[in-house]
Amino acid sequence: MDRMRKMAMNRVDSKPVDVVVMAAGKGTRMKSRLPKVLQRLAGVPLVQHVLNTAAQLQARSAVVITGHGADQVEPLLLAPDQVLAVQCVRQEPQLGTGHAVQQAVPALADDGIVVILSGDVPLTQADTLQALIAQCGGDKLALLTIDFADPTGYGRIVRGGGQGDAVQAIVEQKDATEAQRKINEVYSGIMAVPATWLKAWLARLDNQNAQGEYYLTDVVKFAVADGVPVVAHKISDALQVAGINSPVQLAELECAHQHRQAVHFMEQGVRLKDPARFDVRGQLVCAQDVEIDVNCIFEGMVSLGEGVKIGANCIIANCRIEAGAVIHPFTHIDGEKLGVTVGEGALIGPFARLRPGAQLGAEVHIGNFVEVKNATLAHGAKANHLAYLGDATVGERVNYGAGSITANYDGANKHRTVIEADVHIGSNCVLVAPVTIGAGGTVGGGSTITKNTEPGALSVARGKQISIANWARPQKKPKA
Ligand code: UD1
Ligand code: CA
């Protein structure tokens, strides 16, 4: 069905799609050293949201216009793992949106439909753009528009003028008459246009307007003059066309986006204690009957198995949590590049910290103030209090005592600690790696273990206790 629809669409839009993203503007109102298009929404740079959407259009090529902060923006665009092969074109100085797209002309083929996007409008959906491309149909100028109760600041869609309801022009706020300012239909900043027409119209732009800029929006009046139909694809979802100009708008869009994600998860059956206190900054996948308490943040790629429960105030990043595991409040998990796995039925926290490469088997218990890094814990292993397990391999049913640590770093290199199955490590032990504790062995509390131990052995390595009977403590001298 989906494939058939796609094939049908491809027949309609037989022309290839080329994307242009405008991302050269200054973003003065952000008052930030970071270029505006690198500000993050839901943990992802604004321009990356735009590229992610563009990637879904099966575009033939993508050109991004950079300028302000180009040295910072281009490395992201050209990163080897970028979703789309991007060509960067510099616009210097920045003389307006029309001038921006003029810079892309040499990079654009003549036989395509050009979809023009803004790097600061992050939440447009691919199906909206597909519909816009279909409206363009390869021989029309298609504008994405929306009605705003308060259209202040936007270009207004001027219709009619003896031509029925047809679009005649886009008039910018600063050039608009009193009557035009009352128009509620605004231009979103997004259009689809045949490349040949676009190139012809861009060549005719001037900057005779209130801002002395080359306006991309002036192409509309050239289309009308050339008898090319101008169609408006009007949508009602304001989030899809919301642009970011200031920290307030960034926060408002973040909030609206998070709420929309929260609703989406609840509709799939996820139980959120409070959708207003739930943030996903990346990709979260939830199986059935997941419960999430308030103030949890999910980052990067996270998957939660069936029946997983997440307590309040957890931050969970780049992690797979398997069915039935419980993450108690205030736990911090970040797998970064190596990832973290929490096995079935494991109990983690409160106040636990799982770092990259923590691979916890089923029924593992990690308690408060326990840190695990690059360590594998097999089925049923437990470290319940105040401990560190770094660069370690821990066998089944091991019990790792309070206050014990693996001394994994000799100041130059990291070494591995192996704790075989059924070992019992007492409290406050130091296991100096590389070292292996043999299966079923016991390490006495307070031991500093520097040599391998035999299976089944009790190993104690600490100063012997001495007791001096009737010990008289030193006394303070009485004042003279
Ligand atoms: C633009 C539209 C306006 C529309 C609005 C929607 C024009 C003239 N006006 O206005 O009709 O309602 O978007 O948000 O197009 N940019 C460059 N180089 C430049 C100038 C801008 O790359 O020289 C980029 C910016 O980085 C930004 C985008 O183009 O990503 C839009 O520029 P902006 O200045 O925000 O345009 P608006 O005034 O909002
Ligand atoms: Ca803008």
Side-chain angles (χ1 to χ4, degrees):
M1 168 66 203
D2 231 33
R3 224 184 94 211
M4 282 180 59
R5 213 198 297 151
K6 230 180 232 165
M7 282 168 61
M9 283 187 95
N10 283 342
R11 266 202 301 280
V12 178
D13 335 306
S14 45
K15 291 188 173 184
V17 169
D18 298 302
V19 172
V20 173
V21 181
M22 298 182 292
K26 186 143 190 251
T28 314
R29 278 185 283 161
M30 287 305 301
K31 299 186 178 163
S32 171
R33 279 190 212 286
L34 194 66
K36 178 166 73 173
V37 296
L38 293 186
Q39 303 287 339
R40 284 168 190 267
L41 181 97
V44 174
L46 296 177
V47 69
Q48 186 64 54
H49 282 277
V50 178
L51 293 183
N52 292 349
T53 306
Q56 295 173 50
L57 299 179
Q58 271 93 41
R60 169 177 60 182
S61 76
V63 182
V64 182
I65 315 298
T66 59
H68 187 81
D71 291 342
Q72 284 165 276
V73 178
E74 287 174 2
L76 169 77
L77 302 173
L78 302 173
D81 58 350
Q82 187 51 264
V83 291
L84 205 60
V86 168
Q87 189 181 343
C88 294
V89 174
R90 293 247 179 140
Q91 180 201 18
E92 268 154 2
Q94 291 95 38
L95 304 178
T97 51
H99 180 250
V101 182
Q102 280 173 349
Q103 313 310 306
V105 165
L108 290 172
D110 288 331
D111 62 338
I113 294 176
V114 181
V115 176
I116 300 177
L117 305 171
S118 283
D120 62 350
V121 179
L123 296 182
T124 321
Q125 286 165 13
D127 56 356
T128 299
L129 297 178
Q130 292 290 14
L132 185 74
I133 293 164
Q135 292 262 305
C136 165
D139 56 3
K140 293 184 282 299
L141 169 59
L143 308 172
L144 188 65
T145 72
I146 187 165
D147 284 332
F148 276 154
D150 177 9
T152 310
Y154 287 89
R156 308 299 205 282
I157 302 294
V158 179
R159 290 173 181 268
Q163 308 289 313
D165 217 19
V167 177
Q168 295 301 304
I170 299 174
V171 179
E172 293 302 308
Q173 169 85 20
K174 290 190 177 139
D175 301 285
T177 63
E178 263 322 297
Q180 287 168 334
R181 288 186 185 183
K182 294 204 171 75
I183 298 172
N184 294 104
E185 188 181 5
V186 303
Y187 173 53
S188 65
I190 294 170
M191 66 171 70
V193 49
T196 41
W197 283 120
L198 176 67
K199 290 183 181 185
W201 297 331
L202 286 173
R204 282 149 72 180
L205 293 180
D206 63 46
N207 62 354
Q208 304 304 302
N209 53 54
Q211 302 185 80
E213 286 183 6
Y214 293 88
Y215 291 162
L216 175 64
T217 44
D218 280 349
V219 300
V220 175
K221 65 185 187 206
F222 298 137
V224 172
D226 289 346
V228 175
V230 182
V231 289
H233 177 58
K234 199 198 274 189
I235 60 170
S236 56
D237 179 6
L239 282 196
Q240 289 199 48
V241 297
I244 305 291
N245 299 298
S246 68
V248 170
Q249 287 174 341
L250 182 60
E252 283 171 354
L253 197 58
E254 175 82 32
C255 205
H257 176 61
Q258 292 300 349
H259 184 75
R260 186 167 284 190
Q261 293 193 123
V263 169
H264 163 80
F265 282 107
M266 290 187 293
E267 282 170 355
Q268 290 180 350
V270 176
R271 260 103 70 200
L272 300 180
K273 202 53 103 186
D274 180 358
R277 288 178 288 170
F278 165 76
D279 290 83
V280 178
R281 302 171 188 163
Q283 261 189 42
L284 175 65
V285 178
C286 294
Q288 205 164 25
D289 287 316
V290 165
E291 292 178 28
I292 300 173
D293 209 331
V294 299
N295 287 334
C296 291
I297 300 174
F298 299 88
E299 296 178 330
M301 303 284 289
V302 175
S303 77
L304 305 181
E306 188 166 335
V308 164
K309 290 186 172 64
I310 311 286
N313 301 299
C314 290
I315 297 176
I316 298 180
N318 303 301
C319 173
R320 189 174 86 237
I321 299 179
E322 284 166 4
V326 178
I327 313 296
H328 289 295
F330 296 99
T331 290
H332 185 214
I333 302 178
D334 189 356
E336 291 175 29
K337 291 194 171 78
L338 289 176
V340 164
T341 311
V342 175
E344 272 186 35
L347 303 178
I348 311 296
F351 298 100
R353 179 167 185 218
L354 304 183
R355 292 174 52 203
Q359 307 290 340
L360 313 184
E363 312 291 334
V364 162
H365 294 185
I366 299 294
N368 44 203
F369 308 108
V370 174
E371 175 182 351
V372 182
K373 184 217 76 167
N374 191 27
T376 304
L377 278 71
H379 187 278
K382 294 182 174 65
N384 270 323
H385 331 263
L386 299 158
Y388 177 58
L389 278 162
D391 302 303
T393 304
V394 179
E396 295 189 354
R397 297 172 300 279
V398 164
N399 197 313
Y400 193 77
S404 291
I405 67 157
T406 55
N408 56 325
Y409 185 53
D410 62 12
N413 296 298
K414 302 266 169 69
H415 301 282
R416 207 147 183 97
T417 301
V418 177
I419 305 172
E420 293 179 351
D422 300 301
V423 162
H424 191 111
I425 306 281
S427 296
N428 213 34
C429 294
V430 180
L431 308 179
V432 182
V435 72
T436 296
I437 312 298
T442 302
V443 176
S447 293
T448 296
I449 301 293
T450 57
K451 294 194 289 267
N452 294 349
T453 68
E454 288 302 314
L458 167 66
S459 306
V460 183
R462 61 181 181 229
K464 277 224 166 79
Q465 179 172 334
I466 56 165
S467 294
I468 298 171
N470 301 319
W471 169 252
R473 261 181 254 146
Q475 303 285 319
K476 276 190 181 156
K477 285 196 180 113
K479 281 195 181 121

